[in-house]
């Protein structure tokens, strides 16, 4: 896999240090309250795993799966729900956990979908943000890193389902996807 990576953008150490800070912030913010983390499959899995280990208050974990990209590097703009929640979230504090916000279409759709279930509160925790690519307005309350507009892989992020298991965020070589 390593030969397909142009360079490492964010190391595992940098990611862990940042998630540690986010975990502290979230633990303080929701202290004394219930909390449900909702991970967006599959990209959020490593972030979710590390984040919840750094949250020191009780919390539940649930997942949703949505489709947006297929095997391309550009969003289709169409969001479909492939797996819905196991828990009811009415009157609960919900924190959506996502790998990256790009156009913002996926999170906007999820926000509206989950808000309709009347949670007590709903916020977003996202490891990466590509501000240049934003098409719709999204408020990411707990953000890891702003990143430039490269196609990134690793730490959950994939290209055609590959590279999710890299322990760092890397820039994918253009020759890999521009074939
Ligand atoms: P959005 O709806 O355009 O914000 O897209 C969000 C989704 O696109 C994320 O959950 C990722 O799965 C995917 N995505 C966006 N940028 C990248 C990238 O650089 N590498 C891999 N996946 C990406
Ligand atoms: Mg994704």
């Amino acid at each position: 896999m390593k030969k397909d990576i142009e360079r490492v953008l964010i190391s595992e150490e940098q990611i862990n240090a940042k998630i540690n800070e986010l975990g502290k912030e979230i633990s303080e913010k929701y202290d004394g309250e219930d909390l449900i983390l909702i991970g967006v499959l599959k990209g959020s899995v490593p972030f979710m795993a590390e984040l919840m280990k750094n949250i020191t208050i009780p919390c539940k974990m649930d997942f949703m799966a949505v489709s947006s990209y297929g095997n391309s590097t550009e969003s289709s703009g169409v969001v479909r729900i492939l797996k819905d929640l196991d828990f009811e979230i009415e009157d609960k504090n919900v924190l959506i956990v996502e790998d990256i916000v790009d156009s913002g279409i996926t999170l906007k759709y999820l926000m509206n979908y989950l808000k309709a279930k009347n949670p007590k509160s709903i916020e977003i925790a996202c490891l990466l943000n590509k501000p240049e690519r934003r098409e719709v307005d999204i408020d990411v309350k707990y953000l890891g890193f702003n990143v430039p507009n490269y196609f990134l892989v690793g730490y959950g992020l994939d290209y055609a389902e590959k590279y999710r298991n890299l322990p760092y965020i890397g820039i994918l070589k253009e020759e890999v996807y521009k074939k």
Side-chain angles (χ1 to χ4, degrees), residues 56-138:
T56 53
I57 58 167
C59 63
K60 289 184 181 173
M61 165 171 64
D62 205 342
F63 288 99
M64 285 191 68
V66 296
S67 75
S68 57
Y69 269 42
N71 279 354
S72 141
T73 58
E74 289 287 318
S75 179
S76 61
V78 180
V79 182
R80 247 178 350 124
I81 293 181
L82 306 176
K83 186 222 168 282
D84 210 333
L85 295 176
D86 296 336
F87 296 134
E88 298 292 333
I89 59 166
E90 191 170 348
D91 289 326
K92 307 288 184 204
N93 296 299
V94 166
L95 186 57
I96 302 176
V97 179
E98 174 63 310
D99 50 2
I100 185 167
V101 50
D102 189 42
S103 71
I105 291 167
T106 308
L107 278 174
K108 186 90 195 175
Y109 177 87
L110 268 180
M111 265 297 217
N112 290 337
Y113 178 79
L114 294 173
K115 268 182 186 167
K117 295 178 184 281
N118 297 314
K120 186 173 175 188
S121 71
I122 182 160
E123 300 289 356
I124 295 170
C126 203
L127 183 62
L128 306 174
N129 177 36
K130 277 185 189 167
E132 284 169 54
R133 300 258 306 170
R134 195 60 34 81
E135 288 173 32
V136 292
D137 206 30
I138 284 289

Side-chain angles (χ1 to χ4, degrees), residues 1 10-13 15 154-155 163-169:
M1 287 190 291
I10 311 170
S11 71
E12 190 174 12
E13 291 72 26
I15 297 171
Y155 214 86
Y163 311 104
R164 292 193 198 276
N165 54 323
L166 286 173
Y168 51 77
I169 303 286

